[in-house]
Each structure stands twice: as structure tokens, then as C-alpha cells.
Amino acid sequence: SFDVASNPEFLREGKAVYDFFYPDRIVLGVESKRAEKILKNIYRKIKTKIIVTDVVAAEIIKHASNSFLATKISFINAVARICDKAGADVERVASAMGLDKRIGKDFLKAGVGFGGFCLDKREKIIVKNNKNRIGMVSVEDLYRQFKANQTQVLSFDLNKKNITFKDLALVSKRKYKGKMIKFKTSMGRQIIVTADHPMVVYSKGIFSTVCADEVRKNDNFLLFTDFPSLEKKIIIDLFDLLKGADFFDRVKVRPQRSNLNVLPRETFKFLREKRNYKSTRVYDFKRKNYLTLKDYLLLEKFNLISPLRRQDMLMFTTKGAPTYIKGKFPLDSNILKILGYYVSEGHISSESSLRGVRDRIVFSFNEKEKEYIDELLKGLDRLVLKYRLRNIYQDKVIRITISSKIFAYLIREILKCGNNSYDANVPSGLLSLSKQDKLSFLSALHRGDGSVYFPVSTPSVSYEYGTVSGKLKENMLILLHSIGIVPHLRKFRSSKSTVPTYSIKVSGREQIKSLPFFKDSDTQVKIDSRLASFKRHIKPTGYAREDNNFCSVRVKGIESYYVKDDVYSLEVPGTHTFITSEGIITHNCFPKDVEAFIYISRQLGYDFNLLKEVKNINEKQPGYFIEKIKEHLWILKKKKIAVLGLSFKPDTDDMRFAPSITIINRLLQEGASLRLYDPESMGEAKKIFKKKAKIKFFNEPQEAAKNCDCLCLLTEWEQFKKLNLKKLKEKMNYPLLADGRNFFDKDQAVKLGFSYIGIGR
């Protein structure tokens, strides 16, 4: 018994209350008469025209209105350039144009351009492709790879309170100059977003969407603790996966439990003709009892390989005493345990030989870890992998070595588990598998190199795993969250280490109980005894279980800094949330106004070139303004320039996308010294330009203008009209007035002795 409606706002910053009570129109996007009646009743005391339409049209009205206003601004700025070249005054041109009722005078004001959320490019999210493979990808890489209708993102449905995959509608990129905020939470999680990015905050059962700049310490963010069930199995088919390997031509296959005699003579004759094997007889094939992988695939293509199926074949690359591996097998718990031990205790070494580069996979265990060794060897036997077991007595180490180029390629290139501890990672696709499969990998990982702690003062137990691999850290966090475990993350650097170490710690009775056999059988008996001794249920520390699908963590630290970089936006329909690589649930970050409409249009199959050029003209306008100043001062190096007005528009302290930031940075690059003043945004400006040595801030326009070579106005604050230009001129070293908003009376300024620069004047 609810309706969804769209009621777009058209409020100006600094004028929001006035605009609410005296709007040009009210737009109601509804799908039922009931919703229309309710909304009309809400606005019954406001006297204006009410437009009733559907939800989609209401949203387009919002985007189209803002984009059209931007179009008018960029249009008159382009006309201003023509006026400069032709010797006309754009103010008079715009005034005459505005008298045409079809055009109107509003937003035909030439100037330095219009000003104005998103994720840091390094932030990663959890995505699923159209083949049901799940993994993590940075938003920067996702932008490059994104294809409509082929990508879903892990999301949290704020209404149903469940974790689900949702179609990713679009990914966008924009240039950003402004404040980034890094949030640090309990349990060691963090996220970096732009200051205007909406964050999901949770309190006493209520979800709120709060601008990142408004989040405070001790607010609660959400972490996910559930995962959609895909019921998927992954089959490792080396016949297909090896096609891109540089040693593909050297790969051979042979039946595991039979021989090539099961194939008719005609099969080998066909092969001789197709491959032009002139000296090879049918007998030679049967005697060697193997085919090249190329030959096998050729016979398979022509349906001549039956009854030898792929899963019945072994693969190898060398002659003599080769190391075989099964050609096709499921990525099951036995294989995942091998990979868990490899990530924690293994590495791949490569060395040159007469036959090329030889790859060896090496596992190292303490001689007391017989239970772990037996489990690993059992898995290797299932793959028919030959191994060498060495006991290094002086170090009490058992070393297991496998010499196999194919197995090394599988681990490193196909499953992306890395070469060594520095680039170790969980197997590709593991997130797509069942909870039991994930536990198989995680248990072997912990058995290999994890630790268990039994504090003396309390009957508690905790697991801890340390790694120097950032990739492994990220994926372990998500794996644990996907099976309902909330680990604590800690980052530190030892005195001799060149890279940071990540510690992932799991504690709490219920969490430890749900992770059995993370160590050997004897240790498990001790763990079970401790867990049984708990006399009462103790709530976890650092987080609060709110539901089966999510928990809350407190914001412990907030850091801000300023950047000039690309930032990225995502649009997820319906749920309007997505989940980052550290498990934090955050709101979507759809780009605003002009960029939004460009991306929406592109998504719908229309290339909005007109609006792209609107954006392009706007971005070039600050540079054009600086060139006009240089025409008067020639060289800006060591010149003193006073800048009045820093916010992107009057009556606000907001500097997001403000043209002043671009102009100030360009003037600094030219070597100028700047003296800044704004009635409201001095605090924001000091944060943005705090490390700029050639910038000074002043509390009065007159002080800023003292001994200046140019007075530059960038925001049309009403109080600037009351400035005594004559006194300002007397304080200046050179009377140049650069009016970036065509705000002052040009004739009066010239009469007072100023050299006047306007836009198109």
C-alpha cells in the first residue's frame, strides 16, 4: 500500500527557502491518482502551477531543465568570444536577445563559466559478469571495461534489507578539484569519497542518507554479512584455458586409464592427412599413447575423439618422466585446499634450462604439521600430480616440490593466486562458490600460516592471519563477510619491512564456532573446550549485529584532503546502494546535471553532442579569461592579483566545481601572487589552498586590493556593488579591473581610470 513518486526540486543555493515558497512550478511525477492527491494536498498552500506527469518524465524534467540552463550560459559565453573579436558588447547583445519571449533574459549572462559525487578511483566494488563470475574491480578499471547489460554490482536493498546483485546502469568519470574524505571505522574499515558523496548512516533501525561532509564521529556505517546464493560449480577445463599460453604447442594429452587403441585406424589416417604427418604411422601414435593438444582439439572438432572425453585425459609438456595433471576437473573442496595451502605456504620459482623456462611449485611445512601435509598430498593425488618430498633436517622443514608448467600456469594465470606472498590472492571465481567451498579454502589457508590465540585471562579464542598482499587482504575480508564473519582489520609496518602488513583477526564465540578445523585436530579439541566453557553470551566488540544481512560499525576517524584527479560515479537502479571492497555499504553516486544527462542519453543510445559541447565551452572559459588578463599585463610572473569572490555562486560558501579554483591555480602556474577575499567561503578556500605559498587571505576587499596589479572579480556578490571603486583604484599598483561576471558598470569603471576587462565587452 505505497506509491513511488518523483518530486524534483529546483532550489538555488542561498535562496532555497524563498524558492520553496515562491516556485516557478511544482512537478509531480506519479503513477496513481492516490499519489497525485496526496502530493497536491501537501502543496495546497503554495500558489503556483502544478505539473502532473509520470515518474520518468519528472526525472527528465529535472535533468533537462538544469542542462538547458547550462546550455544558455555556455551559449552566451561563446557569443561573448565573438563579441570580443568583432568589437561588440555582449551585454547589449544579451539584453536584446532576452526581450524575445521565446528566449528570455535569464541565464544570458556571460562570465567565467558555471560551477556545480563520487568515489576515489582506487575504491573497489564487487561485481558479477554475465557468466556469473564474481570478483572485485576498482571503479577506474570498471569505467574502462563497463558494458551495459553485462555487469551487476553487489548491493544492499534498503527496503527488503537483503544483499543482492543489481544491474549496473552506468559508470561515469569526471575531473574533480576539491575535498576528499577518508572515513576510518571500528573493525579497521575505511572508504574514500568526495565531500558531497551520499553515505548510508544507520541508527536504531533507521537508514539515513547523509552527505559525506555531514558525517560525524560515532555515526554508524553498515557492513554486509550475507551473500546471494548462486549454487554454481566451476569446472577447470585446461583444454580451453591453455589456448592463450605461450607453451600451448608443447602440450600433450594421453588417456588416464586406457590408451589410444580405443580410437579406430581411420582417426589417425585423418590426422596424418590434416597435419601432413608424412613420416608418422598409425603405429607410432599408438606406441607413444599421446597426442598433441592441437591434434586432440582437431579430432574433437570433427567428432573423431570419442570415447576419449576431456575428463579422461592427462596433460603434460615434457618427455621422459613427465608430471601429469588432469585436463578437466571441478574446482571442488580438495582443489581449494591445495590452493589454500599454496597461498599461505607456497611459491612458484622459475629457472632457465635447455628446454626453456622451468616452473616449480614449492610448499614448505614444519615437520610437525603432518596433518596438513597429508591433506595437501591427498589433493595432489586427486589431480594425478607427481611431487617430490624433501626433509630438510637442519631447518626441520618438509618441502614439497612439483615441476609442472601447466600447474604453475593454472595457479598464476588462470586462478590468479600469485607467484609468492607479496602478490598472493584467493582463487579467481571463489566468491561464486558455496559457503562450504569458501570454508575449504579458508581453513587450508589458516592451517598453513594462520595463528590461534588462547588468552590467559579469559576463555576466549581468536584466529589471526597476516599477509603483505593487499589483494589477499581485500578478498579475504569479502570472503569472510560473505559467510557471515566480521573480522577486524589492522594495518602496520615493521621496522625492516618495505611494505605494510595486514592482520585479519576473527574473534567471538559464535564466529569461532562457525569456523571449525582452522587448525589441527588436537588444537580443535582445545578450541571446542574453551567455547564450551563460556557461561554467558558476550556481545561482540567493535561492531553490532543488526540483522542476518548486515552489522554496524562506528566512524572513528575522519580525514580530509584536497585533490585534482578523476573521480568515478555509479548508478544502481532500485536499491541505490553498492558494497565496497572492505564491506562498507554506501549510497550510489550519480553525477549531477549536465554530466548526468550526457550519460543518461548515451545509455539510452543517443550521443548528446550538443550537451558535450556545452560542457566543453564551460571548461575552456576560465582559460580564456586568463588570456585576456595576460593581454594587459603581458607577463604574470611576480604580479600581485586580488581575487574577489571564490564560491561558485553568490549567497553560499560552496566551492565545489567553482571556476575560481581553476583560475587561481592557473594564475599560480603563471607565477602570480594572489590575495583572496570572499564574504562566506574563506574557510573552504583556506582548506583548498592551504599549502600554496603565494596566496594570502584578507578580511576586507580594500586590504586585498592594496598594491595589486589587477583586481579580479569571480563571484557576483551583491555587497560588491557597494564597493568604492575609486578608493580601490587608489590602493592598487596598476588599475586593471578583470570583471569575470560582467558585474560592474564598464563605462563608470573606465571613467574612474580603470583598464577594464569583461567577457565579450
Side-chain angles (χ1 to χ4, degrees):
S1 58
F2 66 88
D3 283 281
V4 175
S6 176
N7 175 212
E9 51 84 13
F10 302 94
L11 310 178
R12 296 169 294 172
E13 288 208 40
K15 304 286 186 182
V17 175
Y18 179 87
D19 288 348
F20 178 83
F21 285 107
Y22 304 99
D24 296 324
R25 78 288 200 195
I26 292 171
V27 177
L28 305 177
V30 295
E31 304 293 348
S32 73
K33 288 293 182 182
R34 174 176 172 271
E36 179 184 340
K37 183 178 178 181
I38 291 171
L39 285 170
K40 279 185 174 179
N41 184 52
I42 289 172
Y43 285 107
R44 68 188 181 279
K45 292 187 178 181
I46 296 178
K47 306 302 179 185
T48 190
K49 186 168 185 177
I50 295 180
I51 310 297
V52 179
T53 183
D54 58 79
V55 172
V56 174
E59 293 176 350
I60 292 178
I61 287 169
K62 168 68 174 176
H63 287 301
S65 297
N66 288 339
S67 297
F68 186 71
L69 297 181
T71 302
K72 290 184 74 173
I73 295 170
S74 286
F75 178 82
I76 201 63
N77 280 336
V79 171
R81 293 199 182 194
I82 297 171
C83 288
D84 277 333
K85 293 180 180 295
D89 187 338
V90 75
E91 294 290 292
R92 294 184 178 181
V93 173
S95 178
M97 289 173 61
L99 294 174
D100 189 326
K101 293 178 181 179
R102 298 169 301 173
I103 298 173
K105 63 179 182 178
D106 292 334
F107 290 87
L108 288 179
K109 184 77 173 174
V112 290
F114 55 85
F117 13 76
C118 295
L119 295 171
D120 182 275
K121 64 185 179 184
R122 294 163 294 184
E123 286 295 340
K124 294 183 178 179
I125 58 172
I126 304 157
V127 299
K128 182 177 73 167
N129 64 18
N130 57 346
K131 296 180 180 178
N132 258 4
R133 294 296 290 270
I134 300 170
M136 273 193 295
V137 62
S138 72
V139 288
E140 183 179 30
D141 289 339
L142 184 61
Y143 175 78
R144 290 195 290 260
Q145 302 164 6
F146 178 69
K147 292 182 180 179
N149 305 318
Q150 293 189 25
T151 307
Q152 292 187 319
V153 61
L154 191 64
S155 304
F156 178 66
D157 192 315
L158 293 170
N159 296 315
K160 296 179 181 178
K161 298 182 182 179
N162 68 345
I163 309 296
T164 182
F165 279 100
K166 287 288 184 178
D167 290 333
L168 189 56
L170 29 106
V171 187
S172 63
K173 177 178 75 170
R174 67 176 168 93
K175 298 288 183 185
Y176 177 71
K177 297 177 187 177
K179 184 163 68 172
M180 302 295 293
I181 297 181
K182 178 193 285 187
F183 294 107
K184 295 182 177 180
T185 75
S186 54
M187 305 304 287
R189 306 302 195 276
Q190 67 179 37
I191 184 172
I192 302 174
V193 298
T194 56
D196 53 359
H197 182 82
M199 302 298 296
V200 178
V201 173
Y202 182 82
S203 177
K204 298 179 181 179
I206 298 174
F207 304 105
S208 303
T209 304
V210 178
C211 184
D213 231 359
E214 298 171 1
V215 174
R216 298 293 177 260
K217 282 187 178 180
N218 295 320
D219 283 347
N220 291 317
F221 286 169
L222 299 178
L223 301 180
F224 83 104
T225 55
D226 192 26
F227 206 75
S229 175
L230 298 179
E231 298 297 329
K232 180 173 174 54
K233 286 290 182 184
I234 293 177
I235 302 297
I236 302 297
D237 190 342
L238 293 172
F239 287 84
D240 293 329
L241 294 172
L242 291 180
K243 288 178 181 178
D246 58 2
F247 57 88
F248 175 77
D249 290 341
R250 293 165 48 198
V251 179
K252 305 170 184 65
V253 297
R254 68 180 305 162
Q256 182 179 358
R257 293 186 177 87
S258 62
N259 53 54
L260 296 183
N261 285 327
V262 298
L263 299 176
R265 293 178 59 86
E266 289 71 21
T267 298
F268 303 107
K269 290 179 179 178
F270 168 86
L271 202 57
R272 286 184 61 199
E273 293 172 2
K274 281 286 183 181
R275 292 291 191 212
N276 197 23
Y277 293 145
K278 293 181 179 178
S279 60
T280 305
R281 300 166 298 168
V282 171
Y283 172 76
D284 294 327
F285 285 111
K286 294 182 177 181
R287 178 176 57 84
K288 294 176 181 177
N289 199 32
Y290 70 77
L291 297 168
T292 67
L293 178 54
K294 269 187 174 181
D295 289 344
Y296 181 95
L297 293 174
L298 178 66
L299 293 174
E300 189 181 57
K301 180 180 178 181
F302 288 93
N303 297 317
L304 296 173
I305 199 66
S306 180
L308 298 180
R309 302 172 302 169
R310 291 186 176 189
Q311 56 265 41
D312 301 325
M313 306 298 285
L314 300 178
M315 286 187 169
F316 60 103
T317 56
T318 59
K319 299 177 181 178
T323 300
Y324 298 114
I325 184 173
K326 294 192 74 171
K328 184 178 180 180
F329 52 90
L331 189 61
D332 59 17
S333 60
N334 287 290
I335 310 305
L336 289 167
K337 285 179 181 179
I338 295 176
L339 297 172
Y341 284 123
Y342 169 78
V343 171
S344 60
E345 296 284 16
H347 69 276
I348 296 174
S349 65
S350 301
E351 58 186 52
S352 298
S353 68
L354 294 175
R355 297 177 182 175
V357 177
R358 175 179 292 173
D359 290 320
R360 287 193 174 96
I361 303 91
V362 182
F363 298 82
S364 300
F365 293 92
N366 185 284
E367 63 180 4
K368 295 180 180 179
E369 297 176 322
K370 187 176 185 305
E371 188 174 319
Y372 306 161
I373 296 169
D374 289 344
E375 191 170 53
L376 171 63
L377 298 184
K378 179 183 175 183
L380 296 177
D381 288 339
R382 286 179 66 90
L383 284 180
V384 202
L385 278 164
K386 184 174 67 177
Y387 51 83
R388 180 187 177 196
L389 194 148
R390 269 183 76 199
N391 193 338
I392 306 174
Y393 294 102
Q394 62 270 29
D395 297 324
K396 297 184 178 181
V397 170
I398 301 293
R399 185 163 292 165
I400 299 164
T401 304
I402 301 152
S403 182
S404 170
K405 186 170 284 293
I406 298 174
F407 189 44
Y409 186 83
L410 171 66
I411 289 174
R412 183 173 51 208
E413 305 298 334
I414 298 172
L415 296 174
K416 308 292 184 185
C417 291
N419 263 311
N420 50 49
S421 59
Y422 289 95
D423 64 353
N425 201 359
V426 306
S428 172
L430 181 54
L431 275 170
S432 309
L433 300 180
S434 68
K435 179 178 179 178
Q436 189 54 52
D437 287 333
K438 294 171 187 175
L439 282 171
S440 295
F441 172 81
L442 287 167
S443 66
L445 186 77
H446 265 268
R447 286 175 152 224
D449 204 25
S451 304
V452 60
Y453 294 98
F454 301 99
V456 177
S457 58
T458 171
S460 63
V461 184
S462 64
Y463 294 137
E464 189 166 356
Y465 190 89
T467 178
V468 292
S469 169
K471 293 178 181 177
L472 181 58
K473 175 265 298 184
E474 289 173 346
N475 282 287
M476 276 188 69
L477 283 181
I478 297 303
L479 272 179
L480 289 166
H481 275 285
S482 73
I483 59 175
I485 302 297
V486 185
H488 182 274
L489 174 66
R490 184 168 65 96
K491 178 182 175 182
F492 60 93
R493 189 188 293 267
S494 62
S495 57
K496 296 182 180 180
S497 176
T498 58
V499 294
T501 298
Y502 302 95
S503 167
I504 298 170
K505 183 178 179 181
V506 178
S507 58
R509 180 179 183 273
E510 296 305 317
Q511 295 205 138
I512 297 296
K513 192 175 180 180
S514 66
L515 302 176
F517 295 103
F518 265 43
K519 298 307 289 181
D520 60 273
S521 301
D522 291 339
T523 305
Q524 187 63 46
V525 171
K526 189 175 180 180
I527 291 170
D528 292 340
S529 175
R530 281 233 169 179
L531 295 179
S533 69
F534 274 72
K535 294 181 179 179
R536 60 190 178 90
H537 181 77
I538 302 173
K539 288 186 177 181
T541 57
Y543 68 98
R545 290 272 183 187
E546 308 291 355
D547 189 274
N548 288 334
N549 300 316
F550 65 93
C551 68
S552 62
V553 288
R554 283 186 302 106
V555 176
K556 295 181 67 176
I558 302 175
E559 300 175 8
S560 62
Y561 56 94
Y562 287 82
V563 300
K564 178 183 177 183
D565 205 350
D566 293 330
V567 290
Y568 294 83
S569 299
L570 309 176
E571 170 66 358
V572 183
T575 61
H576 302 296
T577 71
F578 53 90
I579 297 170
T580 63
S581 60
E582 295 203 352
I584 296 176
I585 298 170
T586 187
H587 210 275
N588 76 322
C589 44
F590 192 58
K592 300 287 278 183
D593 302 336
V594 174
E595 291 183 349
F597 214 24
I598 290 172
Y599 282 107
I600 288 171
S601 302
R602 187 180 71 184
Q603 186 67 17
L604 294 171
Y606 178 67
D607 196 356
F608 209 148
N609 287 317
L610 171 62
L611 212 50
K612 287 181 181 178
E613 190 56 28
V614 167
K615 183 169 175 275
N616 184 42
I617 291 170
N618 182 63
E619 289 172 350
K620 290 181 178 179
Q621 200 67 6
Y624 175 65
F625 184 60
I626 289 171
E627 290 303 315
K628 289 173 72 68
I629 295 174
K630 288 172 71 175
E631 287 175 10
H632 284 259
L633 296 181
W634 292 11
I635 297 172
L636 299 184
K637 190 174 183 179
K638 296 186 178 180
K639 296 292 195 301
K640 290 182 180 179
I641 298 177
V643 178
L644 303 186
L646 306 173
S647 56
F648 84 93
K649 62 187 290 186
D651 302 316
T652 179
D653 65 352
D654 197 342
M655 290 188 65
R656 291 173 295 171
F657 318 110
S660 63
I661 297 175
T662 303
I663 291 172
I664 288 169
N665 283 324
R666 286 283 301 273
L667 290 171
L668 290 173
Q669 289 171 7
E670 296 281 348
S673 296
L674 305 181
R675 303 160 70 83
L676 310 185
Y677 171 76
D678 186 279
E680 294 289 342
S681 60
M682 296 289 277
E684 284 299 306
K686 286 177 180 178
K687 293 175 185 177
I688 295 173
F689 301 116
K690 61 183 177 181
K691 295 182 180 180
K692 308 292 186 182
K694 292 186 177 182
I695 288 180
K696 291 184 179 180
F697 298 91
F698 294 87
N699 296 322
E700 295 291 337
Q702 293 82 0
E703 289 300 310
K706 194 174 181 179
N707 298 324
C708 277
D709 300 293
C710 175
L711 182 65
C712 183
L713 181 128
L714 299 182
T715 311
E716 63 273 36
W717 287 89
E718 193 63 28
Q719 51 262 59
F720 289 162
K721 281 192 175 178
K722 299 175 183 178
L723 289 175
N724 189 324
L725 291 181
K726 184 177 180 181
K727 286 187 177 180
L728 281 176
K729 174 181 171 291
E730 291 171 356
K731 289 177 176 289
M732 295 175 66
N733 180 46
Y734 180 75
L736 176 62
L737 177 57
D739 187 356
R741 296 294 181 182
N742 289 349
F743 184 68
F744 294 113
D745 186 312
K746 175 186 175 184
D747 294 336
Q748 182 191 5
V750 172
K751 188 175 180 180
L752 289 171
F754 279 100
S755 294
Y756 179 88
I757 296 173
I759 305 292
R761 301 183 79 184

